[in-house]
């Protein structure tokens, strides 16, 4: 008898087996596997392990929504779908019963999918903030708002060229609807001042046209010439103006 006590190999305090490292590893893994993680042989019954993935998804979704830029709603549909899917899956995993081993495997897949969707939504929102469409219709004016054949008009967008292209749509209607019907035959030409390469011709009411804005500084301006039948008086209004890449 030597009086020495047997050493318990499970009491290691350093390396991969240390309690601190083991706890952190299990906390990290809980983001994906939740109640599958064993902690003091009680994790399968400890619902607290199901909260980390839900809180992570909730945080990412909140960051994405708070950083949402202005712009047409259609470009945000897939981002909102990803965030909504992530929150739904995370909540379902949080409140669903643990079940057997097969059920827990499905919960791992649900958690991973929720986190991936949340990350995708956050990255997507950041991309839209840098490269998404910007609706500047409300900051655009055209003068004069009525014109005849050959009239020249000036369109000004009160915004800097935050994107590389401008998409413009004008509406042209008869100014005297009871005495004339010239709309179907009316077109216009347009170009950016000092850049003949941007010239577009034969554009009709409601038709969208594109202008490259590379290198443009200051406010955006376009020169428009109306082409209609002699004697016709037309009203022009801005239907849609969008900056995009």
């Amino acid at each position: 008898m030597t009086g020495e006590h047997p050493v318990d190999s499970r009491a290691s305090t350093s390396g991969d087996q240390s309690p601190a490292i083991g706890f952190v590893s299990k906390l990290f893994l809980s983001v994906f596997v939740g109640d599958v993680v064993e902690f003091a042989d009680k994790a399968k019954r400890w619902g607290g392990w199901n909260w980390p993935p839900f809180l992570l998804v909730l945080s990412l979704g909140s960051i994405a929504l708070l950083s949402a830029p202005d712009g047409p709603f259609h470009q945000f549909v897939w981002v909102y779908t990803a965030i909504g899917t992530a929150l739904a899956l995370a909540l379902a995993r949080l409140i669903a019963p643990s079940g057997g081993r097969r059920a827990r495997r499905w919960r791992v897949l649900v958690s991973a999918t929720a986190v991936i969707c949340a990350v995708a939504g956050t990255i997507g929102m950041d991309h839209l903030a840098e490269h998404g469409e910007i609706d500047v219709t409300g900051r655009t004016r055209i003068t004069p708002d009525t014109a005849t054949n050959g009239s020249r008009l000036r369109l000004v967008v009160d915004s800097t060229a935050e994107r590389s292209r401008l998409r413009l749509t004008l509406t042209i209607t008869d100014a005297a609807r009871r005495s004339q019907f010239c709309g179907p035959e009316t077109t216009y030409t347009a170009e950016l001042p000092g850049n003949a390469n941007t010239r577009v011709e034969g554009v009709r009411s409601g038709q969208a046209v594109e202008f490259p804005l590379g290198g443009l500084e200051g406010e955006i301006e376009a020169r428009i010439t109306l082409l209609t039948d002699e004697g016709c008086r037309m009203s022009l209004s801005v239907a849609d103006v969008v900056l995009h890449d």
Side-chain angles (χ1 to χ4, degrees):
M1 300 292 291
T2 62
E4 296 181 357
H5 297 286
V7 178
D8 188 348
S9 60
R10 295 175 297 177
S12 174
T13 60
S14 62
D16 295 338
Q17 301 299 319
S18 68
I21 293 177
F23 177 83
V24 173
S25 299
K26 289 168 183 175
L27 181 60
F28 175 78
L29 289 174
S30 73
V31 171
F32 295 99
V33 296
D35 62 348
V36 178
V37 176
E38 295 183 3
F39 181 75
D41 296 326
K42 296 180 181 179
K44 293 180 181 179
R45 299 186 299 275
W46 187 26
W49 283 113
N50 296 326
W51 281 96
F54 176 77
L55 295 177
L56 175 61
V57 168
L58 183 63
S59 298
L60 290 174
S62 299
I63 291 172
L65 294 177
L66 290 174
S67 62
D70 294 330
F73 177 77
H74 67 83
Q75 68 180 340
F76 298 101
V77 171
W78 74 270
V79 175
Y80 291 145
T81 300
I83 295 173
T85 300
L87 289 173
L89 291 175
L91 182 61
R93 173 261 170 82
L94 179 67
I95 63 178
S98 58
R101 177 174 298 181
R102 178 174 297 181
R104 288 196 295 270
R105 290 176 180 174
W106 278 107
R107 290 163 69 85
V108 174
L109 180 60
V110 169
S111 296
T113 304
V115 173
I116 291 172
C117 287
V119 171
T122 304
I123 295 175
M125 192 68 79
D126 182 69
H127 175 78
L128 290 175
E130 294 292 331
H131 303 286
E133 295 184 352
I134 303 175
D135 189 345
V136 291
T137 305
R139 289 179 276 171
T140 304
R141 62 186 185 276
I142 185 170
T143 54
D145 57 0
T146 59
T148 57
N149 184 45
S151 295
R152 296 184 178 181
L153 304 92
R154 181 171 180 258
L155 181 140
V156 177
V157 181
D158 187 17
S159 173
T160 57
E162 299 179 51
R163 298 292 187 264
S164 62
R165 300 185 68 83
L166 172 74
R167 184 170 65 245
L168 169 67
T169 306
L170 297 181
T171 299
I172 306 174
T173 58
D174 292 286
R177 298 183 181 181
R178 295 183 179 181
S179 60
Q180 67 179 48
F181 186 66
C182 306
E185 302 301 323
T186 301
T187 63
Y188 68 88
T189 64
E191 65 179 88
L192 302 184
N195 190 347
N197 294 328
T198 62
R199 183 180 178 86
V200 291
E201 299 179 348
V203 186
R204 297 186 178 277
S205 175
Q207 181 180 347
V209 291
E210 299 273 349
F211 297 97
L213 300 176
L216 184 66
E217 297 182 358
E219 65 180 12
I220 304 169
E221 180 182 346
R223 301 289 174 83
I224 297 170
T225 302
L226 186 70
L227 301 173
T228 187
D229 293 336
E230 292 294 338
C232 292
R233 189 164 175 265
M234 310 303 296
S235 296
L236 289 84
S237 60
V238 178
D240 188 51
V241 185
V242 174
L243 297 173
H244 68 98
D245 287 335

